[in-house]
Amino acid sequence: MIREARVTTTCSYCGVGCTLEVHTLGDRISRVTSPLDAPANRGNLCVKGRFGFDYVTSPDRLTQPLIRRGGVLEPATWAEALDLVARRLAETRAQYGPQAIAGFSSAKCTNEENYLFQKFMRTVIGTHNVDHCSRLCHASSVTAVNMAIGSTAMSNSIAELRSDIDCLLVTGSNTTENHPVIALEMKAAVARGAKLILVEPREIELTRFATVWLRQRPGTDVAVFNGMAHVIIRDGLWHPEFVADLTEGFEELAEAVLPFTPEVVEEISGVPAADLEQAARLYATSAAAGIFWGMGVSQHRTGTDASLTLCNLALLCGQIGRPGTGLNPLRGQNNVQGAGDMGCLPNLMPGYLPAAAEDTLQRFDRLWGVHLPRHKGLTNTEVINAAHAGQVRALYVMGENPALTDPNLNHARPALAGLDFLVVQDIFLNETAELAHVVLPAWSWAEKEGTFTNTERRVQRVRPVLPPPGAARCDWAILSDLAGRLGQPWHYDSAEAIFAEIRQAVPAYAGMTYARIEAGGLQWPCPTADHPGTRYLFAGGFPRGRGKLHPVAYLDPAELPDAQFPLVLTTGRVLYHWHGGVLSRRAEGLNAICPAPAVEVHPDDAAALGVSSGQPVRVVSRRGEVQVPALVTGRSRPGTVFMNFHFAEAAVNLLTNDALDPYAKIPEYKVCAVRVEKL
Ligand code: SF4
């Protein structure tokens, strides 16, 4: 008889962190439901959470280690594979030093695995060259919020959308497709009377719910938000007591935004002056306004600048530190918040303690019983350039796919292919694994114990649903084995034992235990064993003391259209797929609904090119080209084309620009100049 079972766990796709009840029949997932009292999602699930998990039992799963022999990846034993990885990493370190080795951790893995990954790089290898995909999505938001108030996470809870917020400023976020369950709450908030200010170049579902829609040209966010600050100061709508008591830098900000009159902003951004004035008034005069933003703001070379202009608005108007008010970068991957919390960042240790500070390093020297490196680490965008320059010789990639997700792939792929040694630990043979010297098969989310931290800082349990395939192993056990082979025996016997160490390393997690987070999780900060967790941040002030208002100058995108490349390309997701498509394209139902890529072209541009929907076109940038069917639609302005990044056969990152934000080193995925050619 086939055994039926049900396990409560947490979704592995996006950062909303929906609670799942996964029903199994034998060794297959039969259906997925969610309890009505689930804290993040109240029983709601999107199409990915409901129907997107058959990838776990895909026949494509990696089930045994692979070693490249004679140019071909061949099956090997675990002992052979781990011995080879340990030997090559040790040789590289001996010959070139620890700085010649880098590691990319995974926002799809658990907190426990991310914690051990950065500990492995720092204590076993001896380098701070560790990073994760936050560099490619919200690094600029995190940098800006840290600069403005000394924090790195969403201020609010999803639950505040249900009751507290009466004005939402949503920008650079197609929330319906990227964070579908949060979009449900946004729409419900509008239905109960909240106002929605949408700042978004593309027509999206939320447009229909907006009180005012500012349709800016891609890459002009700084001008728009400086313009709102101009109106707020000009009309005396700012909060003088809040500004006087809790902020610094008002005079400098007021001077910097003076030139950004609504008329000037209209010229730069295309946003009508009257709409800008309406949005500014609405935000400033609402009783409780929250700002929510996505990668449309952060993935620019001015991503930090634009995020700072959002922080300025919240601080100017005192729209932070009370229920329903705050700054909310919506985190993308299921555990991208947790990977950052765990210190998978070159400049920040677990708990966001600065890696450049001697007292921080001494604290971790004591905790881990080592002498940590004192040199600066590289971001993953810097690692690619360092690999080209021969400075990074070996790379350890756990659960990431830079050969598809990095910008300007014709630059990134040769860097990866040219490494002396590339080890990839993953569940599928993705584009990066195909370049590897050793591939280590790992467990998926559905096979492991651990925790994920969602976008609202909620630490939740992940529990095994199915047995792992073949000889695949869990990530933390692989890391422990390698640490032992490299001379540092670790003695963790469970994910819970690793979590116990995390509590010592990360002050905001100190009060959590598996028993305490068993039902519904807890939101950090949770510093003591009797602390209830924290629903919204900054009720008692900002971690940096006074909030800092930053004057921000406007810069054009790195690449503007010209005669050779007359169109702007911008990128994003679709509801049915996830990132590079490695998982969701192996989910039969999702792939059936959305099986192929497309480039969205405005009807005016399509008419000029003589193309219609379904017709293949070539999209060409200064860095590469792809062939893809056209989809003629007025969702974007004339002159702007849109592609998603889920399809390897039309990899949009062959086109995107790797110009970097100078503070956060995030690439300008969201704007590059292209031409479209009819085939
Ligand atoms: Fe999973 Fe996000 Fe969908 Fe929730 S909204 S079911 S977390 S993908």
Side-chain angles (χ1 to χ4, degrees):
M1 193 173 113
I2 300 176
R3 202 173 72 88
E4 281 186 68
R6 184 179 66 182
V7 176
T8 303
T9 186
T10 305
C11 182
S12 67
Y13 276 110
C14 91
V16 178
C18 295
T19 301
L20 309 179
E21 283 175 339
V22 183
H23 304 249
T24 55
L25 212 47
D27 289 350
R28 317 291 292 185
I29 294 173
S30 54
R31 67 193 175 103
V32 179
T33 55
S34 181
L36 291 175
D37 61 354
N41 58 307
R42 295 198 292 177
N44 293 307
L45 294 174
C46 79
V47 66
K48 292 188 288 294
R50 190 82 66 186
F51 303 112
F53 291 120
D54 39 332
Y55 74 81
V56 169
T57 44
S58 161
D60 296 346
R61 282 288 300 274
L62 289 166
T63 56
Q64 57 188 327
L66 304 171
I67 291 178
R68 188 171 298 280
R69 296 183 178 111
V72 179
L73 285 170
E74 293 182 343
T77 66
W78 271 107
E80 288 170 328
L82 292 176
D83 284 346
L84 179 58
V85 173
R87 179 168 63 76
R88 294 299 305 273
L89 292 178
E91 286 171 356
T92 304
R93 186 175 53 185
Q95 190 172 355
Y96 300 103
Q99 280 293 76
I101 304 173
F104 296 169
S105 190
S106 174
K108 299 226 77 65
C109 287
T110 62
N111 286 321
E112 293 75 2
E113 292 156 348
N114 278 290
Y115 175 78
L116 279 203
F117 190 87
Q118 60 81 37
K119 182 176 174 181
F120 178 86
M121 293 307 298
R122 289 183 159 120
T123 66
V124 178
I125 303 296
T127 177
H128 293 287
N129 290 347
V130 57
D131 207 356
H132 70 287
C133 69
S134 172
R135 186 70 47 207
L136 308 178
C137 60
H138 263 306
S140 50
S141 313
V142 170
T143 302
V145 178
N146 206 16
M147 287 164 70
I149 54 181
S151 176
T152 52
M154 256 178 73
S155 316
N156 296 114
S157 296
I158 298 166
E160 283 165 78
L161 283 162
R162 292 165 205 154
S163 50
D164 302 300
I165 292 179
D166 69 357
C167 175
L168 300 86
L169 194 169
V170 178
T171 178
S173 164
N174 184 356
T175 320
T176 313
E177 312 225 11
N178 296 341
H179 299 86
V181 167
I182 289 182
L184 288 179
E185 300 290 357
M186 289 176 170
K187 289 180 277 186
V190 171
R192 68 165 169 77
K195 307 293 184 215
L196 171 61
I197 302 164
L198 185 67
V199 186
E200 170 65 41
R202 190 159 163 262
E203 187 171 0
I204 57 176
E205 195 217 23
L206 283 184
T207 313
R208 291 193 281 116
F209 295 81
T211 313
V212 54
W213 173 27
L214 309 185
R215 191 180 202 181
Q216 82 279 37
R217 294 189 185 99
T220 61
D221 303 331
V222 166
V224 172
F225 300 125
N226 272 349
M228 285 179 67
H230 172 103
V231 173
I232 288 165
I233 294 173
R234 182 198 67 192
D235 294 354
L237 302 173
W238 50 291
H239 193 309
E241 294 84 29
F242 187 96
V243 167
D245 296 346
L246 293 168
T247 74
E248 62 190 44
F250 176 77
E251 298 303 330
E252 294 87 339
L253 175 68
E255 193 181 329
V257 299
L258 204 53
F260 289 86
T261 62
E263 294 70 29
V264 167
V265 173
E266 179 169 344
E267 204 169 300
I268 296 171
S269 69
V271 169
D275 292 350
L276 187 90
E277 302 237 8
Q278 186 191 355
R281 270 194 295 278
L282 205 50
Y283 177 77
T285 59
S286 291
I291 300 177
F292 298 81
W293 74 99
M295 297 191 296
V297 168
S298 60
Q299 287 182 330
H300 292 276
R301 69 162 173 156
T302 52
T304 302
D305 287 348
S307 303
L308 282 171
T309 58
L310 292 172
C311 298
N312 286 342
L313 292 177
L315 291 171
L316 255 186
C317 301
Q319 296 284 22
I320 189 163
R322 292 176 286 114
T325 66
L327 292 160
N328 299 292
L330 295 168
R331 309 308 301 269
Q333 298 240 32
N334 57 317
N335 197 33
V336 69
Q337 181 66 52
D341 298 348
M342 295 303 110
C344 294
L345 296 160
N347 60 330
L348 295 168
M349 301 293 288
Y352 301 100
L353 298 168
E358 186 56 30
D359 57 342
T360 297
L361 292 169
Q362 286 179 14
R363 178 178 185 272
F364 283 94
D365 285 349
R366 285 192 296 277
L367 178 66
W368 291 334
V370 296
H371 183 72
L372 286 166
R374 263 52 181 173
H375 55 66
K376 197 168 162 282
L378 298 174
T379 64
N380 52 15
T381 42
E382 290 171 327
V383 164
I384 296 299
N385 291 333
H388 268 297
Q391 290 153 358
V392 166
R393 318 287 301 204
L395 180 63
Y396 188 166
V397 180
M398 177 176 82
E400 283 292 336
N401 190 11
L404 189 62
T405 57
D406 268 32
N408 190 5
L409 287 177
N410 284 326
H411 177 71
R413 284 176 177 168
L416 296 166
L419 288 162
D420 293 349
F421 188 64
L422 174 62
V423 52
V424 171
Q425 184 169 310
D426 214 301
I427 66 171
F428 291 114
L429 194 69
N430 61 28
E431 287 75 10
T432 309
E434 283 170 2
L435 301 173
H437 299 92
V438 178
V439 178
L440 304 174
W443 291 0
S444 80
W445 128 102
E447 291 129 23
K448 57 177 69 161
E449 291 274 2
T451 56
F452 292 156
T453 305
N454 80 349
T455 190
E456 58 169 359
R457 300 168 274 104
R458 183 179 299 278
V459 183
Q460 303 189 99
R461 288 280 279 113
V462 178
R463 301 179 181 88
V465 173
L466 292 174
R473 298 185 66 197
C474 85
D475 294 271
W476 68 257
I478 300 170
L479 289 163
S480 290
D481 259 11
L482 276 175
R485 279 173 161 79
L486 285 160
Q488 284 199 30
W490 289 348
H491 302 290
Y492 306 106
D493 58 4
S494 65
E496 191 170 7
I498 303 166
F499 194 80
E501 186 173 311
I502 291 170
R503 295 176 60 206
Q504 296 176 59
V506 182
Y509 284 58
M512 298 185 200
T513 61
Y514 272 24
R516 286 198 75 201
I517 62 173
E518 190 62 26
L522 282 167
Q523 288 173 278
W524 66 254
C526 177
T528 57
D530 57 354
H531 193 284
T534 306
R535 191 167 188 247
Y536 68 93
L537 299 178
F538 319 125
F542 302 121
R544 82 175 289 281
R546 285 176 175 267
K548 183 154 176 56
L549 295 156
H550 284 84
V552 179
Y554 172 73
L555 276 180
D556 280 330
E559 219 176 57
L560 291 173
D562 57 17
Q564 207 185 352
F565 299 99
L567 301 170
V568 169
L569 168 71
T570 189
T571 65
R573 295 187 201 136
V574 300
L575 173 64
Y576 304 102
H577 283 296
W578 188 251
H579 285 224
V582 173
L583 308 182
S584 58
R585 293 191 70 193
R586 288 182 171 88
E588 205 178 315
L590 301 180
N591 213 36
I593 299 170
C594 184
V599 57
E600 291 182 9
V601 184
H602 190 275
D604 294 356
D605 298 319
L609 290 161
V611 300
S612 51
S613 283
Q615 204 170 349
V617 295
R618 183 184 292 118
V619 185
V620 188
S621 80
R622 287 188 173 81
R623 292 155 293 280
E625 61 181 61
V626 297
Q627 289 188 21
V628 60
L631 173 64
V632 179
T633 166
R635 282 180 205 145
S636 297
R637 288 170 172 276
T640 298
V641 296
F642 173 89
M643 282 181 72
N644 71 61
F645 42 67
H646 308 303
F647 293 88
E649 62 270 38
V652 73
N653 287 322
L654 289 164
L655 309 172
T656 51
N657 193 348
D658 51 359
L660 296 182
D661 175 293
Y663 308 100
K665 313 292 182 191
I666 192 171
E668 185 148 83
Y669 285 107
K670 283 291 186 265
V671 180
C672 75
V674 296
R675 67 171 176 270
V676 174
E677 297 171 355
K678 184 178 174 182
L679 290 174

